[in-house]
Amino acid sequence: MANVDELLETFGNMTLLELSDFVKKFEEKFEVTAAAPVAVAAVGAAAPAEAAEEQDEFDVVLEGAGDKKIQVIKVVREIVSGLGLKEAKDLVESAPKSILEKVAKDAAEAAKAKLEEAGAKVSVK
């Protein structure tokens, strides 16, 4: 530990310019970035605030089929590509269930409008 204490003492006596030069050379020699943990911490702290302001991915959740279950099944098959009749029926009957995940706001609103027009209860999160 004596070496670590000596290094700390040496760093304590250096100017900011000397420390900056040392960090750059250290990063080059060992191919690391000393600033990454600081940047991650700063981004991590700012991310929740930004996510609340600028959400660009939405989930469309089917809350219930309503009275027109067959119409809702047809719309679900139209919205979710690759679903067969049985899969769409199972998805509608297992509501509340996510229909679309991580889609753009326009696509989420369009899907919500189609499903509500068919008689379903839908939410966008």
Side-chain angles (χ1 to χ4, degrees), residues 34-110:
V38 174
V40 170
V43 171
E50 290 177 12
E53 294 173 11
E54 298 180 26
Q55 182 178 356
D56 60 350
E57 292 181 340
F58 297 86
D59 295 342
V60 179
V61 179
L62 178 68
E63 301 293 336
D67 296 334
K68 301 177 183 177
K69 188 170 161 184
I70 293 172
Q71 293 299 97
V72 173
I73 292 170
K74 287 180 181 178
V75 173
V76 167
R77 286 188 67 203
E78 179 183 323
I79 293 171
V80 182
S81 62
L83 278 187
L85 184 58
K86 182 178 180 350
E87 291 87 4
K89 180 179 179 268
D90 291 343
L91 194 133
V92 169
E93 289 177 347
S94 66
K97 189 78 170 180
S98 180
I99 302 288
L100 297 173
E101 295 179 344
K102 298 182 180 177
V103 295
K105 185 176 183 177
D106 297 339
E109 291 298 328

Side-chain angles (χ1 to χ4, degrees), residues 18 38 64 97-98 122 124-125:
E18 292 171 331
V38 174
K97 189 78 170 180
S98 180
V122 184
V124 176
K125 298 180 180 180

